[in-house]
Each structure stands twice: as structure tokens, then as C-alpha cells.
Amino acid sequence: VGTSLGYRLSHATIGRLLRLLRVTRLVSIFPQLRLIINTMLLSIPSMGHVVLLLSLLLYVYAIAGVHLFREVDPQHWGTLGAALLSLFQVVTLEGWTELQQTLLPERPWAWIFFASFIVVAVFVVINLFIAVVINNLEKAREKEQRIADASSAEHEVLARVALLRREVEELESALRMKAPQR
């Protein structure tokens, strides 16, 4: 009984989740929302490259941090994992001053390490993220404009065909009137 109840609950949960996906129809209703979604989807591959660059930068600085600060603050810089976690804290700009303050009494030049990391990692990489998104936003806008232009051209052709059809019908009716009745 317990197994079948769990089985039904999981199907009910899946059904509810699938019903929740109906909300995604809003994307088709609002063009600006569709533009944002398209921008995000276009940005995913490029973001991978920026994340790879950030990972490489974190790895290099983490190795340097382990070698430079392991003896002073082993809790934050004793292992590569701890150093990566500390650098992630610095990237988020949350509590990095406390990390620096523990090192400054014994390593007065530690500010150079932190300043260079913040400038390179935070400002350069964040600006790369923004540049990728803006670039893909322009691509998405151009794509939607091409679709709108194609749709507009299609409407023009259809209007022209309708006009030609009316003219042909008028000519046919005029010819019928002039033709002798049999």
C-alpha cells in the first residue's frame, strides 16, 4: 500500500509541475519577455567561456594564495579548496576585508593580492558577462526584427495578391457583361 501511495503521489506531483509549466505561455504573449528569454538562451554558450576564464583566474589566484598565506591563515588559505572558497567570497565582495585584515599584520603587501584579484576578477569578468548579454540582446533584437520584416513583407505580398484577385474578378465580370448571351 505504501509503495502504491508513493507512486501516486509522485505522479500527482509531476502532474502539478506540468500544469505549472502552463505559466510559460506568458512568454509568447509579451514580446519583451520573449526577447529577454531569447537573450538568455543565446548567452548560455558564451557565458561558458566567461565562466571558464573566471575558473582559470580563481585557480591561479588560489594556488598563489595557498603559497603566500598558508602559514598566516590556514583556515582560509591552508588548502586549495579553502583558498578557492575564500576567493569566491572575495569575488562576491562580501567579507573580503576581514580576510585581508587577518593577513595584513604579517603580510603588509597582501593588499596588492586582493586589489589585483578584485580588479581583474570582479570588474573585468563582470564586465565580460555584461558585454556578452548586451551583445546577445542585440542579436536577439535583430533576429526578431528580421522575423517582423519577413512577416511584414508577407502581408504586403498577400495584400497585393488580394488586390490582383479583385481586379481579375472585376475584369471577368466586365467581360461577362460585354459577351453576347447565348
Side-chain angles (χ1 to χ4, degrees), residues 16-174:
R16 286 186 194 109
L17 289 174
L18 289 175
R19 245 185 318 176
L20 183 64
L21 289 176
R22 289 188 295 182
V23 174
T24 59
R25 287 187 293 182
L26 289 175
V27 173
S28 63
I29 295 172
F30 299 111
Q32 293 299 323
L33 188 58
R34 187 174 52 242
L35 179 66
I36 291 170
I37 298 295
N38 287 339
T39 300
M40 287 176 20
L41 292 174
L42 283 173
S43 298
I44 290 172
S46 301
M47 290 293 182
H49 295 106
V50 176
V51 167
L52 184 64
L53 176 67
L54 181 61
S55 299
L56 181 64
L57 189 67
L58 280 167
Y59 181 72
V60 168
Y61 267 87
I63 290 175
V66 168
H67 288 291
L68 296 172
F69 309 127
R70 177 182 12 207
E71 293 84 26
V72 180
D73 188 4
Q75 179 184 0
H76 293 110
W77 303 98
T79 64
L80 183 62
L84 284 168
L85 190 59
S86 298
L87 287 173
F88 185 77
Q89 184 177 352
V90 174
V91 164
T92 62
L93 297 176
E94 194 65 37
W96 70 272
T97 54
E98 290 83 11
L99 286 172
Q100 179 180 310
Q101 291 303 320
T102 59
L103 299 173
L104 284 178
E106 292 193 38
R107 304 281 198 273
W109 45 265
W111 68 270
I112 296 171
F113 177 85
F114 285 95
S116 67
F117 181 72
I118 288 171
V119 167
V120 173
V122 175
F123 298 120
V124 172
V125 174
I126 296 300
N127 283 328
L128 279 175
F129 272 113
I130 292 169
V132 164
V133 170
I134 289 174
N135 185 30
N136 288 315
L137 176 65
E138 289 302 315
K139 285 181 184 177
R141 278 190 181 148
E142 288 172 6
K143 183 178 178 182
E144 283 198 3
Q145 188 62 40
R146 281 194 306 270
I147 291 170
D149 290 346
S151 176
S152 175
E154 184 178 308
H155 285 305
E156 288 177 25
V157 169
L158 289 174
R160 182 74 177 151
V161 167
L163 178 65
L164 289 172
R165 185 173 286 153
R166 271 183 295 209
E167 289 176 359
V168 166
E169 288 172 357
E170 288 173 5
L171 284 173
E172 284 178 345
S173 69

